[in-house]
Amino acid sequence: LGAMTAQAQIPELAWTPRSDWVNVKEHAVVGDGVADDTAALQALLDTVKSGMTFYFPPGDYRITKTLAMTGPALGVSWLGHGRSTRLFWDGEENGRMLKEDGFAQNARYEGFIFDGQGRAAVGFWHFSSTRFETEELHRNMAFRGFREAGIRMEEQWKDKGDKYATAEIVIQNCLFEDCGVGVWFGSFNDYNYTFEGCEFLRCGTGIQCAKGNFYVRNTHFEGSTRMDMDAGGEHGCSVRRVTSWGSKKFLHHWGVKPMVVEDCQVGGWKDSEGAEGAVTLRGAPVLMVDCVFTAP
């Protein structure tokens, strides 16, 4: 186990657009990296309804204000071409790129780079004020350079207007680079987050679960400056077949329900404050089996 050498990338995806897809470049969106595409994209998002698919051909889409997509609606999709479809932030510092409110049941976001350029606070902002959001998929996406979080689920506080939780979320083959937190969720009903085949590189914290629960599979962490996983789950969590290299800490478990850690490889951790080591256990019981810790 050692540091990765090749630059991490998401795949290039090849789509044959269907006739019922909404091609954003056919609606005044330019995608040349120079034109401000915010207003044209917002006009399209204002037309959203259940079952719609927004298709983003290859291009660089310049965003200067928060895009808002508001439901309630079911089965809405965003499809891009992977590494060649990039939305990048060019607005005020600590802005939020996309606010999604009220989407569920097979909502799908696939094939995008969200690039905060070290200026934006949040890439994908789940803010559920219109319905309980369930069964959403983020796949083949990269989140780069977000100061607060690549993906953030807002807390359920009345003063923020967020009334419902976001649950049953699958994050598959996604890349999080140089973000304050890769994925942040912290409401009591933020349940059953599944991470499959993801990479977290040089984030402050990779996965931050203040409540709710999560499952992590076949995922790699590297260079987390605080920790790879901060686990305060209200239900059982599990971490299986995960690798970590050069992070300050692998796992901080302080939740009230059990945790399973199985078949993980952790090397080169750097936590010397209080000699806490790669793993800190301050919560419910943990079953740890078939794990290897090397080169502290």
Side-chain angles (χ1 to χ4, degrees), residues 62-288:
R62 179 171 169 249
I63 310 301
T64 59
K65 295 181 181 178
T66 300
L67 296 172
M69 190 170 68
T70 304
L74 306 177
V76 173
S77 296
W78 281 38
L79 297 180
H81 280 256
R83 68 180 67 175
S84 61
T85 299
R86 182 175 75 117
L87 279 69
F88 70 95
W89 182 255
D90 198 25
E92 65 180 5
E93 291 193 6
N94 296 317
R96 300 188 173 201
M97 184 174 289
L98 173 63
K99 179 182 179 182
E100 186 238 46
D101 182 354
F103 294 84
Q105 295 182 14
N106 299 316
R108 175 186 178 193
Y109 304 91
E110 180 168 7
F112 293 90
I113 294 173
F114 276 42
D115 189 349
Q117 299 205 109
R119 294 173 51 84
V122 175
F124 200 108
W125 182 23
H126 285 272
F127 190 99
S128 52
S129 68
T130 57
R131 66 166 298 133
F132 200 110
E133 295 186 344
T134 61
E135 299 178 16
E136 295 204 20
L137 171 66
H138 296 270
R139 183 164 60 194
N140 296 319
M141 299 182 70
F143 297 86
R144 293 187 168 118
F146 290 99
R147 293 180 176 182
E148 186 178 320
I151 300 176
R152 179 187 171 98
M153 286 66 180
E154 194 55 80
E155 297 171 277
Q156 291 171 271
W157 299 111
K158 292 181 180 180
D159 60 340
K160 293 184 178 180
D162 189 67
K163 301 176 182 179
Y164 307 100
T166 303
E168 285 75 55
I169 305 300
V170 175
I171 300 174
Q172 185 178 52
N173 199 36
C174 288
L175 171 65
F176 300 86
E177 284 186 304
D178 303 306
C179 295
V181 176
V183 180
W184 190 101
F185 48 104
S187 292
F188 284 104
N189 289 321
D190 284 349
Y191 291 145
N192 299 328
Y193 282 65
T194 299
F195 298 85
E196 170 67 36
C198 295
E199 289 187 67
F200 296 83
L201 305 179
R202 301 177 304 278
C203 295
T205 299
I207 298 170
Q208 186 165 336
C209 169
K211 300 180 180 69
N213 71 311
F214 63 87
Y215 317 105
V216 185
R217 305 285 185 271
N218 306 308
T219 288
H220 179 72
F221 298 88
E222 188 169 322
S224 301
T225 57
R226 291 190 296 272
M227 64 191 74
D228 296 335
M229 291 168 285
D230 191 5
E234 298 287 333
H235 284 268
C237 299
S238 61
V239 178
R240 289 186 166 96
R241 299 178 301 278
V242 168
T243 57
S244 171
W245 180 261
S247 295
K248 184 175 182 181
K249 181 184 290 293
F250 178 57
L251 172 66
H252 177 207
H253 172 61
W254 51 280
V256 299
K257 295 294 183 179
M259 163 79 73
V260 175
V261 183
E262 180 182 2
D263 195 18
C264 296
Q265 298 185 54
V266 181
W269 66 91
K270 300 175 181 179
D271 190 356
S272 61
E273 298 175 6
E276 290 187 341
V279 177
T280 305
L281 307 179
R282 292 195 174 103
V286 172
L287 173 63
M288 186 177 296

